[in-house]
Amino acid sequence: MTDFTTGLDDLAIETPSWAYGNSGTRFKVFAQRGVPRDPFEKVADAAQVHAFTGAAPTVALHIPWDRVPDYAALADHAVDHGVRLGAINANVFQDDDYMLGSVTNPDPKVRRKAVDHLLECVDIMDLTGSRDLKLWFSDGTNYPGQDDIRARQDRLSEALTEVYARLGDDQRLLLEYKLFEPAFYTTDVPDWGTSFLHCVALGPKAVVCVDTGHHAPGTNIEFIVALLLRAGRLGAFDFNSRFYADDDLMVGAADPFQLFRIMFEVVSGGGLDPATGVAFMLDQCHNIEPKIQGQIRSVMNAQEATAKALLVDAAALKAAQAEGDVLGANAVLMDAYNTDVRPLLAGWRESRGLDGDPIAAYKASGYFEKIVAERVGGTQAGWGA
Amino acid sequence: MTDFTTGLDDLAIETPSWAYGNSGTRFKVFAQRGVPRDPFEKVADAAQVHAFTGAAPTVALHIPWDRVPDYAALADHAVDHGVRLGAINANVFQDDDYMLGSVTNPDPKVRRKAVDHLLECVDIMDLTGSRDLKLWFSDGTNYPGQDDIRARQDRLSEALTEVYARLGDDQRLLLEYKLFEPAFYTTDVPDWGTSFLHCVALGPKAVVCVDTGHHAPGTNIEFIVALLLRAGRLGAFDFNSRFYADDDLMVGAADPFQLFRIMFEVVSGGGLDPATGVAFMLDQCHNIEPKIQGQIRSVMNAQEATAKALLVDAAALKAAQAEGDVLGANAVLMDAYNTDVRPLLAGWRESRGLDGDPIAAYKASGYFEKIVAERVGGTQAGWGA
Amino acid sequence: MTDFTTGLDDLAIETPSWAYGNSGTRFKVFAQRGVPRDPFEKVADAAQVHAFTGAAPTVALHIPWDRVPDYAALADHAVDHGVRLGAINANVFQDDDYMLGSVTNPDPKVRRKAVDHLLECVDIMDLTGSRDLKLWFSDGTNYPGQDDIRARQDRLSEALTEVYARLGDDQRLLLEYKLFEPAFYTTDVPDWGTSFLHCVALGPKAVVCVDTGHHAPGTNIEFIVALLLRAGRLGAFDFNSRFYADDDLMVGAADPFQLFRIMFEVVSGGGLDPATGVAFMLDQCHNIEPKIQGQIRSVMNAQEATAKALLVDAAALKAAQAEGDVLGANAVLMDAYNTDVRPLLAGWRESRGLDGDPIAAYKASGYFEKIVAERVGGTQAGWGA
Amino acid sequence: MTDFTTGLDDLAIETPSWAYGNSGTRFKVFAQRGVPRDPFEKVADAAQVHAFTGAAPTVALHIPWDRVPDYAALADHAVDHGVRLGAINANVFQDDDYMLGSVTNPDPKVRRKAVDHLLECVDIMDLTGSRDLKLWFSDGTNYPGQDDIRARQDRLSEALTEVYARLGDDQRLLLEYKLFEPAFYTTDVPDWGTSFLHCVALGPKAVVCVDTGHHAPGTNIEFIVALLLRAGRLGAFDFNSRFYADDDLMVGAADPFQLFRIMFEVVSGGGLDPATGVAFMLDQCHNIEPKIQGQIRSVMNAQEATAKALLVDAAALKAAQAEGDVLGANAVLMDAYNTDVRPLLAGWRESRGLDGDPIAAYKASGYFEKIVAERVGGTQAGWGA
């Protein structure tokens, strides 16, 4: 097991540029005040999260939402604000061409367009120095018979193979899965098994991305985490929480005990060690809550779950498990979970020169009032912008 | 049990004006060609569905999407096209004010605004001659603690009471429930029990609207239908189908057997009799399929399920049930379900002067090509427009 | 809000006699050592739970499993051991006659037998001084068409009416609901709405029993609790926890945050006040863990959740809610949840002369070794015995 | 696509010996009349299903439930009755030793015992000439922390490797997965991905068994079927149907459209061709319906779904899919589904010298009355016997 302080030091959470823009449901996107109007403002907001938590050193980009003429300038801008650019998220779901799919579309012209976009994303990675290409495909069908399930898998495989071949030696392809939405009958990568199958076929640079909100009801996510770590194919997390479907609430908000169990598998499987390459990212929609505060709270929730996981008495746990002591083993785990780790985390922050209470410090900083005043005019960033 | 032809004659399915406009998911609204640009064009499209099926004589409006200066003119336009205006659907979820709720918002000013809109809808009903006010509230919360569950029920009750008091003698309030979306922690009317509880408190003109896509996984919808019919509180259906959540696919597309079981409860509970007042409405989103065709297919699916339900040998079923003959009773039901009713329905259509194959007839009519050519310029209707 | 100490003092958790016997799944009932062989031994075990927690003063009986010739003797035995007899649980699901239902069976003779058993249970309540008759019906169907949904409701209503009429002035009928199992198509009382509907029809002595494991996936249980408390119809809880279906694990084991949210609604709705009559019961199956320890842990879990609920700063919460401060209101709630209440509970126990650590104290007591040694021969109690 | 008659000829459905014995839920096993008392009587009953359907030529055994001194005698008995012995199902879940798992138990002695049983099953396969060893493990945990998820995978892998090495050249290992029950927190083989991962690690003789009732709510089973067929790892089906969890109802009873979609993927993926080795088995519990009739009905349901799948106009479907004609492609599929194939199947039966109506013919045969009269005394077979 990792040492407590080392574990917290190792936990780097990437925040997504799109979390700072407006988001919503199909029913309504509510506009908030002070929302960024371009990628530079998004990066500035992300830098605030790191400034107050010390645990969010990188920011993920979404292409084309974050397309800029000069990626080096954006990277410099990030460094100037104390953060770095992270994963590149491809987007092949918001052109009218993609109505029936992108890389699995029955029309080869649309597939070509989609693959070209993915290749462009690798070009951008070369410019930004990003390690990870994150691929989520909204591809699927809405009606039985609409398309051929196996043919779509063949097309998917063909597209992934071409993109994989384009990766540099230090670059990775993260293949995300999702049960449903926006496709409502089949989704072409609906579960970890499908993602794993394709990653194994591709090679060692292809790894699975686990979005904690993308599973069927009742799915045991920490089990999947343990399996993928064991198989060397856990590439990344997209963190968020949900009560129903892909609700994209703040991670830890809906089921903090589940987040703890997930982080316990990460910790005990060695996944906090940077050498394993597991990336921790947020992917959330702050539809009704302030966005920067929502990100800060999410980072704190992830830290609290990790801190509790680090407190588990591994030797006592192993002993109880070996004896078949069901209640004893469970009690060892719960003992860590029931601990109030907030003082420990405040201490960790203060030892790094940060305020023990990131939310209060952020609120006191006046940053929110400043951006509300400054960001007048222009078009607010949001889904698709 | 109802006679087969009488049953089909009684089945009148209302189509919704918004089904003819563009719709989508939070990820993308795909634009289709020929989409209406105003309520008059929507009504014209709805009239096509009735022209080819003979079973969709009314069209529901959504306020403010279908707000017009002169409702009498819109009603006349409908009659000119062979249909009538139906239920009025209130919309209190698309103003920025409603971010934290409408009639249950903690802010009394927002609640006042929402109730005023509902009262305006009754004013419109007086003008259109509509019987039903359909209320679906997106109200709810995303995070534990965000608001007080009971206080929100009190506010809901207060709003409903005021609206109920405004209803005319022949007007009804349909209270719809939905498990989740767009609210992701609590929804203020999440299940039939909550809707029923409020309807009973209001009085006999308040009845429950069952949207077939608004339940938790595993919910037995036909059981709810049977219970509400028994209690005299089944007011209406919003028909659609789903594999996962509120997918809003064509009714009968995801689980035709479920639709049959629902219609069997309607038929055997007397719900096809117009005197019971059960309204049958579609509420769907044709995100990727042509909209008018999608509505025609849905009406046909509902007719096929109803036809099968009407074919159930009620006496044989009752006898098998009384004997505790599990397989025999099931076989009576399945015998009707397994019947191919399409020839019977073609005959019913032809006896009314319609083409036996509504889809083919519609495609041959050239209507789609006509609207694609004519509806150029202007703003396409869609969610929120 | 209730005062912290008063709240804990008010929390009395009834343990079920059947939790001390063997239980299992349809695949296997694993036998444990030291399991009781008759109702007297079960009561003795239940008394241990109270002896170490000070919060489990009553034990529920299940008829016919706990049928004894002399109920006064059993009641005296309980008092001798420091506890009292609690609710009477009727059992109309384990005779071959009940294969197609009990009170809803198509055969009137079976219905008569079932109702007679329920009336016998009220007779027993008169002897034991029990206030509550808990009714759970396994009645339902496995196949569409097997029986008439509405006819079964009529039979249910008739049976409940007869039993209700038999109740004394201070006796209550608790009507429990359950989504499924052992019936796999329809269940006659599947949800709170159905239970509520029948309770309202019966009268004020009929109230709903919420088993926390009996809901569809995604159901918001605390919402139901809040609604029933508001409507004056929350009669009791059957506590347990689940990851999938009716897993009957220890309460608080699967989702401690959900248990906290439920107890918060109880606390803020006044449900801890004995005057509201809300009964708190465990209904669990300790298939693989030691049974008495499992009960003690469950009582402690319920106490911890309640203690956290009592710590919520109600004034701060109300203020944040009124301002629409989503994150602030959530933070008030989470602040209580994240508190480690174990020292507070240890203090509460010690102030009542108990050991601060009930599990350690029980293990040190030698009781388990004693019953393993003594309870040799005879037939172990279990489901159906 | 397969020719209609060839397809039906190829569809051989194996019935399970245990379906003829008593079964039930954890609440009650209802005893039925005429139930077999030993494996020979089970085989005789299975032979009835084949005699009337012509489509159930083999019967699966469950060890130890069907342990006999002389397997050759049992095989001869089967042949005398017109059927053959099929797959061997191992059982490592009904000894007290297995309370905390079998091949994944923390105790190496229990693991040894479990593996020895699996090896014994291969010995029996050598005697019966069975091709398939079907492995379902109930192994898992009920509480977080109870055991180490990865360590259990290691133990599972070790056991499977030993058993795999023991297989003959023409023998296969079918690895079944199941979401939950009887384990309620983790299950060691919970989904197709886990099963697939282990099969790939083992080698080509290890293939996945898909039980249609073993998935999380909302899982698209036909997608899994298509993927496994594409990967050459679909070994077998355990057919049954469910509304909620692993209800084990008659296949096709809960969702006949789903069964059709599954069989369509089988047909279009070539899985009906005996050369692919896909085995079709029933695994059901006839808790309340007569068992032999339940099996006959299930075979007929599978035949009807297959017949519809064989009727799909593959060329028309492919053309509509290629054009992106969503409604057209769906209509091609639905056209086959909506066809009443019962006359076609009656014709197929009659062409093979069978009665067109297997249920009626079986009822008229007097077999049930005969076994009720004869099978008096002895112990009825059931779960665990």
Side-chain angles (χ1 to χ4, degrees):
Chain A
M1 294 281 288
T2 315
D3 165 71
F4 185 81
T5 303
T6 305
L8 284 178
D9 287 350
D10 283 347
L11 182 70
I13 298 168
E14 183 161 305
T15 75
S17 69
W18 56 96
Y20 303 98
N22 287 320
S23 62
T25 67
R26 61 174 169 146
F27 295 103
K28 171 72 176 171
V29 174
F30 293 103
Q32 292 192 12
R33 293 178 303 153
V35 159
R37 295 160 301 177
D38 61 39
F40 289 83
E41 291 183 350
K42 294 182 201 173
V43 167
D45 286 3
Q48 290 291 306
V49 178
H50 186 52
F52 289 100
T53 63
T58 57
V59 54
L61 300 185
H62 212 290
I63 305 298
W65 301 344
D66 295 322
R67 205 172 259 155
V68 291
D70 183 348
Y71 288 97
L74 187 64
D76 288 347
H77 172 78
V79 170
D80 289 347
H81 285 72
V83 291
R84 285 171 288 113
L85 301 183
I88 300 299
N89 288 256
N91 177 324
V92 284
F93 54 87
Q94 293 198 317
D95 288 359
D96 280 326
D97 284 336
Y98 298 140
M99 188 168 83
L100 302 183
S102 63
V103 296
T104 66
N105 197 298
D107 183 341
K109 289 194 302 294
V110 177
R111 297 203 294 273
R112 185 67 253 158
K113 171 179 168 173
V115 173
D116 284 344
H117 174 71
L118 303 185
L119 297 173
E120 178 204 354
C121 286
V122 186
D123 293 341
I124 294 172
M125 291 165 68
D126 290 341
L127 298 174
T128 56
S130 300
R131 179 188 61 176
D132 291 338
L133 174 66
K134 181 136 61 80
L135 300 181
W136 169 64
F137 297 106
S138 71
D139 294 49
T141 65
N142 276 7
Y143 291 103
Q146 178 187 325
D147 203 359
D148 184 300
I149 294 173
R150 282 166 302 127
R152 292 177 79 94
Q153 288 296 312
D154 293 339
R155 297 171 201 149
L156 172 64
S157 173
E158 191 180 342
L160 291 174
T161 300
E162 183 173 349
V163 175
Y164 188 85
R166 168 67 183 82
L167 292 176
D169 287 347
D170 297 329
Q171 291 175 334
R172 305 191 306 173
L173 181 161
L174 306 178
L175 185 54
E176 189 167 340
Y177 58 90
K178 182 177 183 180
L179 181 65
F180 79 98
E181 194 211 19
F184 295 126
Y185 167 52
T186 58
T187 295
D188 292 316
V189 189
D191 54 18
W192 78 266
T194 306
S195 190
F196 174 81
L197 180 155
H198 283 285
C199 286
V200 168
L202 289 170
K205 292 184 287 186
V207 282
V208 179
C209 176
V210 176
D211 184 305
T212 49
H214 286 189
H215 303 83
T219 302
N220 185 322
I221 299 174
E222 59 267 30
F223 180 90
I224 295 172
V225 169
L227 247 73
L228 289 174
L229 265 174
R230 182 176 176 273
R233 294 282 176 176
L234 180 64
F237 284 99
D238 265 7
F239 275 143
N240 52 64
S241 76
R242 52 79 76 94
F243 287 97
Y244 304 97
D246 187 27
D247 306 344
D248 279 336
L249 302 177
M250 298 187 301
V251 66
D255 190 345
F257 183 46
Q258 181 189 59
L259 182 60
F260 161 75
R261 300 192 312 263
I262 290 171
M263 289 313 304
F264 173 69
E265 288 303 323
V266 170
V267 166
S268 58
L272 271 189
D273 183 344
T276 61
V278 181
F280 303 90
M281 308 167 174
L282 300 181
D283 185 7
Q284 303 175 165
C285 293
H286 303 299
N287 296 346
I288 63 168
E289 66 270 27
K291 292 157 200 307
I292 295 172
Q293 266 197 64
Q295 291 284 293
I296 292 174
R297 169 60 61 199
S298 302
V299 170
M300 293 170 68
N301 285 353
Q303 286 183 306
E304 290 175 21
T306 306
K308 291 180 178 192
L310 288 163
L311 288 181
V312 173
D313 183 336
L317 182 65
K318 192 168 182 174
Q321 290 173 341
E323 290 167 22
D325 180 359
V326 175
L327 290 178
N330 177 246
V332 172
L333 197 79
M334 296 312 293
D335 195 35
Y337 180 67
N338 286 325
T339 303
D340 189 343
V341 295
R342 293 174 299 173
L344 293 171
L345 282 163
W348 177 85
R349 287 179 194 116
E350 285 158 8
S351 75
R352 297 168 68 100
L354 300 171
D355 194 293
D357 182 342
I359 293 283
Y362 166 74
K363 289 169 93 165
S365 75
Y367 183 81
F368 181 66
E369 291 72 16
K370 188 172 80 80
I371 58 176
V372 167
E374 288 177 1
R375 295 177 183 170
V376 174
T379 305
Q380 288 189 320
W383 286 79
Chain B
M1 295 279 288
T2 314
D3 165 69
F4 184 81
T5 303
T6 306
L8 284 178
D9 288 350
D10 283 347
L11 182 70
I13 298 168
E14 183 160 307
T15 75
S17 69
W18 55 96
Y20 303 99
N22 288 320
S23 62
T25 67
R26 61 174 169 146
F27 296 102
K28 171 71 176 172
V29 174
F30 294 103
Q32 292 192 13
R33 294 178 301 153
V35 158
R37 295 161 300 177
D38 62 37
F40 290 83
E41 292 183 349
K42 293 183 200 172
V43 167
D45 287 1
Q48 290 290 306
V49 178
H50 187 51
F52 289 100
T53 63
T58 56
V59 53
L61 301 184
H62 211 290
I63 305 298
W65 301 344
D66 295 321
R67 205 173 260 155
V68 291
D70 183 347
Y71 289 97
L74 188 64
D76 289 347
H77 173 77
V79 171
D80 289 346
H81 284 71
V83 292
R84 285 171 289 114
L85 300 182
I88 299 299
N89 288 256
N91 178 324
V92 283
F93 55 87
Q94 292 198 319
D95 288 0
D96 279 325
D97 285 337
Y98 297 139
M99 188 168 82
L100 301 182
S102 63
V103 297
T104 67
N105 197 298
D107 183 342
K109 288 194 303 294
V110 178
R111 296 203 296 272
R112 186 66 252 156
K113 172 180 167 173
V115 173
D116 285 343
H117 173 72
L118 304 185
L119 297 173
E120 178 205 354
C121 287
V122 186
D123 293 341
I124 294 172
M125 291 166 69
D126 290 341
L127 298 174
T128 56
S130 300
R131 178 187 62 175
D132 290 338
L133 174 67
K134 181 135 62 80
L135 301 181
W136 169 64
F137 298 106
S138 70
D139 294 48
T141 65
N142 277 7
Y143 290 103
Q146 179 188 324
D147 203 0
D148 184 300
I149 294 173
R150 281 165 302 126
R152 292 178 78 95
Q153 289 295 313
D154 293 340
R155 298 171 201 149
L156 172 65
S157 173
E158 191 179 344
L160 291 174
T161 301
E162 183 172 350
V163 175
Y164 188 86
R166 168 67 183 82
L167 292 175
D169 288 347
D170 297 328
Q171 291 175 334
R172 307 190 307 173
L173 180 161
L174 305 179
L175 186 55
E176 190 167 338
Y177 59 91
K178 183 176 183 180
L179 180 66
F180 79 99
E181 195 212 18
F184 294 126
Y185 168 52
T186 57
T187 296
D188 292 316
V189 189
D191 56 18
W192 79 266
T194 307
S195 189
F196 175 81
L197 180 155
H198 283 285
C199 286
V200 168
L202 289 169
K205 291 185 289 187
V207 281
V208 178
C209 176
V210 175
D211 184 301
T212 49
H214 286 189
H215 302 84
T219 302
N220 185 322
I221 300 175
E222 60 266 29
F223 180 90
I224 296 172
V225 168
L227 247 73
L228 289 174
L229 266 173
R230 181 177 177 271
R233 292 284 176 175
L234 179 64
F237 284 98
D238 264 7
F239 275 143
N240 52 63
S241 76
R242 52 79 75 95
F243 287 96
Y244 304 97
D246 187 27
D247 307 342
D248 279 337
L249 302 177
M250 299 186 301
V251 66
D255 191 345
F257 183 45
Q258 182 189 58
L259 181 60
F260 161 74
R261 299 192 311 263
I262 290 171
M263 289 312 304
F264 173 68
E265 288 305 322
V266 169
V267 166
S268 58
L272 272 190
D273 182 343
T276 61
V278 180
F280 302 91
M281 308 168 175
L282 300 181
D283 186 6
Q284 303 175 165
C285 292
H286 303 299
N287 296 347
I288 61 167
E289 67 270 26
K291 293 158 198 307
I292 296 173
Q293 266 197 62
Q295 292 284 293
I296 292 175
R297 169 61 62 198
S298 302
V299 170
M300 293 170 67
N301 285 352
Q303 285 183 305
E304 290 175 20
T306 306
K308 291 179 178 193
L310 288 162
L311 288 181
V312 173
D313 183 336
L317 182 65
K318 192 168 182 173
Q321 290 173 343
E323 290 166 21
D325 180 358
V326 174
L327 291 178
N330 178 246
V332 171
L333 198 78
M334 296 312 293
D335 195 36
Y337 179 68
N338 286 324
T339 303
D340 188 344
V341 294
R342 293 175 300 172
L344 294 171
L345 282 163
W348 177 85
R349 287 180 194 116
E350 286 159 6
S351 75
R352 297 167 67 100
L354 301 171
D355 193 293
D357 183 341
I359 292 283
Y362 166 74
K363 287 169 93 166
S365 75
Y367 184 81
F368 181 65
E369 291 72 15
K370 188 170 81 77
I371 57 176
V372 167
E374 287 176 2
R375 294 177 183 171
V376 173
T379 304
Q380 289 190 319
W383 286 79
Chain C
M1 295 280 288
T2 315
D3 165 70
F4 185 82
T5 303
T6 307
L8 284 178
D9 288 350
D10 283 347
L11 182 70
I13 298 168
E14 183 160 308
T15 74
S17 69
W18 56 96
Y20 304 99
N22 288 319
S23 62
T25 67
R26 61 174 168 146
F27 296 101
K28 171 73 177 170
V29 174
F30 294 102
Q32 292 192 13
R33 293 177 302 154
V35 158
R37 296 161 301 176
D38 62 38
F40 289 83
E41 291 183 350
K42 293 183 201 174
V43 167
D45 287 0
Q48 290 291 306
V49 179
H50 187 52
F52 290 99
T53 64
T58 56
V59 53
L61 301 185
H62 212 290
I63 306 298
W65 301 343
D66 295 321
R67 205 172 259 154
V68 290
D70 182 349
Y71 289 97
L74 188 64
D76 288 348
H77 173 78
V79 170
D80 289 347
H81 284 71
V83 292
R84 286 171 287 114
L85 302 182
I88 300 299
N89 288 256
N91 178 324
V92 282
F93 55 86
Q94 293 198 318
D95 287 359
D96 279 325
D97 284 337
Y98 297 140
M99 187 169 82
L100 302 182
S102 64
V103 296
T104 67
N105 197 299
D107 182 341
K109 288 194 302 293
V110 178
R111 297 202 296 272
R112 186 67 252 157
K113 170 179 169 175
V115 173
D116 285 343
H117 173 71
L118 303 185
L119 297 173
E120 177 205 356
C121 286
V122 186
D123 293 341
I124 293 172
M125 291 166 68
D126 291 341
L127 297 173
T128 56
S130 300
R131 178 188 61 174
D132 291 337
L133 174 66
K134 180 136 62 79
L135 300 181
W136 169 65
F137 297 106
S138 70
D139 294 49
T141 65
N142 275 7
Y143 290 103
Q146 179 188 326
D147 203 359
D148 184 301
I149 296 174
R150 281 165 303 128
R152 291 177 80 95
Q153 289 295 312
D154 293 340
R155 298 170 200 149
L156 172 64
S157 173
E158 190 179 344
L160 291 174
T161 301
E162 183 171 350
V163 174
Y164 188 86
R166 167 68 183 80
L167 292 175
D169 288 346
D170 297 329
Q171 291 174 335
R172 306 190 307 173
L173 179 161
L174 306 179
L175 185 54
E176 190 167 339
Y177 58 91
K178 182 176 184 180
L179 181 65
F180 79 99
E181 194 211 18
F184 294 126
Y185 167 53
T186 58
T187 295
D188 291 318
V189 188
D191 56 17
W192 79 265
T194 306
S195 189
F196 175 81
L197 180 155
H198 283 286
C199 286
V200 168
L202 289 170
K205 290 184 289 187
V207 282
V208 179
C209 176
V210 175
D211 183 303
T212 50
H214 286 189
H215 302 85
T219 302
N220 185 321
I221 299 174
E222 60 267 29
F223 180 89
I224 296 172
V225 169
L227 246 73
L228 289 174
L229 265 174
R230 182 177 177 270
R233 292 283 176 175
L234 180 64
F237 284 98
D238 264 7
F239 275 143
N240 51 65
S241 76
R242 53 80 75 95
F243 287 96
Y244 304 97
D246 187 27
D247 307 342
D248 279 336
L249 303 177
M250 297 188 301
V251 67
D255 190 346
F257 183 45
Q258 181 189 58
L259 181 60
F260 161 74
R261 299 193 311 264
I262 290 171
M263 289 312 304
F264 173 68
E265 288 304 323
V266 169
V267 167
S268 59
L272 272 189
D273 183 344
T276 62
V278 180
F280 301 91
M281 307 167 176
L282 300 181
D283 186 7
Q284 303 174 166
C285 293
H286 303 299
N287 297 346
I288 62 168
E289 67 269 26
K291 293 157 199 308
I292 296 173
Q293 266 197 63
Q295 292 284 293
I296 292 174
R297 169 61 61 197
S298 302
V299 169
M300 291 171 69
N301 285 352
Q303 285 183 306
E304 290 175 20
T306 305
K308 291 180 178 194
L310 288 163
L311 288 181
V312 173
D313 182 337
L317 182 65
K318 193 168 183 174
Q321 289 173 342
E323 289 166 23
D325 180 358
V326 175
L327 291 178
N330 177 246
V332 172
L333 198 78
M334 295 313 292
D335 195 36
Y337 179 67
N338 287 324
T339 303
D340 188 343
V341 294
R342 292 174 300 173
L344 293 171
L345 283 163
W348 177 85
R349 286 177 194 117
E350 286 158 7
S351 75
R352 297 167 68 99
L354 300 170
D355 194 293
D357 182 341
I359 292 283
Y362 166 73
K363 287 167 93 165
S365 75
Y367 184 81
F368 180 66
E369 291 72 15
K370 188 172 78 81
I371 57 177
V372 167
E374 288 176 1
R375 294 177 184 172
V376 174
T379 304
Q380 287 191 320
W383 285 81
Chain D
M1 295 281 288
T2 314
D3 164 70
F4 185 81
T5 303
T6 306
L8 284 178
D9 288 351
D10 283 347
L11 182 70
I13 298 168
E14 182 160 306
T15 75
S17 69
W18 56 97
Y20 304 98
N22 288 320
S23 63
T25 68
R26 61 174 168 145
F27 295 102
K28 170 72 176 172
V29 174
F30 293 103
Q32 293 192 11
R33 294 177 301 153
V35 158
R37 295 160 300 177
D38 61 38
F40 289 83
E41 291 183 349
K42 293 183 201 173
V43 167
D45 287 1
Q48 290 291 306
V49 178
H50 186 52
F52 289 100
T53 63
T58 57
V59 54
L61 301 185
H62 212 291
I63 306 297
W65 301 344
D66 295 321
R67 204 173 260 155
V68 290
D70 183 347
Y71 288 97
L74 187 63
D76 289 346
H77 173 78
V79 171
D80 290 346
H81 285 71
V83 292
R84 284 171 289 114
L85 301 183
I88 300 299
N89 289 255
N91 178 324
V92 283
F93 55 87
Q94 292 197 319
D95 288 359
D96 279 325
D97 285 335
Y98 297 141
M99 188 168 84
L100 302 182
S102 63
V103 296
T104 67
N105 197 298
D107 183 341
K109 288 194 303 293
V110 178
R111 296 203 295 274
R112 187 66 251 157
K113 170 180 169 175
V115 173
D116 285 344
H117 174 71
L118 303 185
L119 296 173
E120 177 205 355
C121 286
V122 186
D123 294 340
I124 293 172
M125 291 167 68
D126 290 340
L127 298 174
T128 56
S130 300
R131 180 187 61 176
D132 291 337
L133 174 66
K134 181 136 61 79
L135 301 181
W136 168 65
F137 297 107
S138 71
D139 294 49
T141 65
N142 276 7
Y143 290 103
Q146 178 188 325
D147 202 359
D148 184 300
I149 295 173
R150 281 166 301 127
R152 291 178 80 94
Q153 289 294 313
D154 293 339
R155 297 171 201 149
L156 172 64
S157 173
E158 191 179 344
L160 291 175
T161 300
E162 183 172 350
V163 175
Y164 188 85
R166 167 69 183 80
L167 292 176
D169 288 346
D170 296 329
Q171 291 175 334
R172 306 191 307 174
L173 180 161
L174 306 178
L175 185 54
E176 189 167 339
Y177 58 91
K178 182 177 184 179
L179 181 66
F180 79 99
E181 195 212 18
F184 294 126
Y185 168 52
T186 58
T187 296
D188 292 317
V189 189
D191 54 19
W192 78 265
T194 306
S195 189
F196 174 81
L197 181 155
H198 283 285
C199 286
V200 168
L202 290 170
K205 291 184 288 187
V207 282
V208 179
C209 177
V210 175
D211 184 303
T212 49
H214 287 189
H215 302 85
T219 302
N220 185 322
I221 300 174
E222 60 267 30
F223 180 90
I224 296 172
V225 169
L227 246 73
L228 288 173
L229 265 174
R230 181 177 176 271
R233 293 284 176 176
L234 180 64
F237 284 98
D238 264 8
F239 275 143
N240 52 65
S241 76
R242 52 79 75 95
F243 287 97
Y244 304 96
D246 187 27
D247 306 342
D248 279 336
L249 302 177
M250 298 187 301
V251 66
D255 190 345
F257 183 46
Q258 182 189 59
L259 181 60
F260 162 74
R261 299 192 312 262
I262 290 171
M263 289 313 303
F264 173 68
E265 288 304 323
V266 169
V267 166
S268 58
L272 272 189
D273 182 344
T276 62
V278 180
F280 302 90
M281 308 167 174
L282 300 181
D283 186 7
Q284 304 176 163
C285 293
H286 304 298
N287 297 347
I288 63 169
E289 67 270 25
K291 292 157 199 308
I292 296 173
Q293 267 197 63
Q295 292 284 294
I296 293 175
R297 168 62 62 198
S298 302
V299 170
M300 292 170 68
N301 285 352
Q303 286 183 305
E304 290 175 20
T306 306
K308 291 180 177 194
L310 288 164
L311 288 181
V312 173
D313 183 338
L317 182 66
K318 192 168 183 175
Q321 289 173 343
E323 290 166 22
D325 179 359
V326 175
L327 291 178
N330 177 246
V332 171
L333 198 79
M334 297 312 293
D335 195 36
Y337 180 67
N338 285 324
T339 302
D340 188 343
V341 294
R342 293 175 298 172
L344 293 171
L345 283 164
W348 177 85
R349 287 180 193 115
E350 287 159 6
S351 75
R352 297 167 68 98
L354 300 170
D355 193 293
D357 182 342
I359 293 283
Y362 166 73
K363 289 168 93 165
S365 74
Y367 184 81
F368 181 66
E369 290 73 16
K370 187 172 81 80
I371 57 176
V372 168
E374 288 176 2
R375 295 178 183 170
V376 175
T379 304
Q380 288 190 320
W383 286 79

